[in-house]
């Protein structure tokens, strides 16, 4: 099982999310934890004030994500897996 944190836009809100997944032949997203939300416009490069972030931890029901949102989550899982494989290969040569 692999876990990583990312910022996603889903369900009409920007979220800090923790995504848990397995990777065998295919990616299987097991859990998406919403750790907090950001105000609209946080996709810009401006610094978000700490007062603008609402922290909490709630498990998301994956069924509520649109197909496009779920595909984006899968894409990020693939990217995370590739990064972890590259780091493991690099560690072998150290």
């Amino acid at each position: 099982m692999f876990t990583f944190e990312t910022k996603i836009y889903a369900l009409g809100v920007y979220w800090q999310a923790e995504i848990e997944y397995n990777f065998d032949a295919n990616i299987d997203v097991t859990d998406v934890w919403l750790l907090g939300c950001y105000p609209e416009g946080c996709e810009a490069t401006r610094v978000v004030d700490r007062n603008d972030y609402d922290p909490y931890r709630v498990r998301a029901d994956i069924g509520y994500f649109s197909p496009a949102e779920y595909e984006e989550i899968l894409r990020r899982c693939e990217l995370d897996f590739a990064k972890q494989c590259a780091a493991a290969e690099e560690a072998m040569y150290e």
Side-chain angles (χ1 to χ4, degrees), residues 38-75:
Y38 295 93
E40 288 294 326
C42 74
E43 74 280 8
T45 56
R46 73 175 178 85
V47 176
V48 177
D49 295 331
R50 287 194 176 269
N51 294 337
D52 290 346
Y53 180 76
D54 291 326
Y56 51 92
R57 182 177 173 89
V58 64
R59 185 175 181 210
D61 185 340
I62 296 171
Y64 283 104
F65 291 113
S66 72
E69 292 167 345
Y70 188 71
E71 287 297 319
E72 177 64 17
I73 290 171
L74 290 177
R75 187 189 68 77

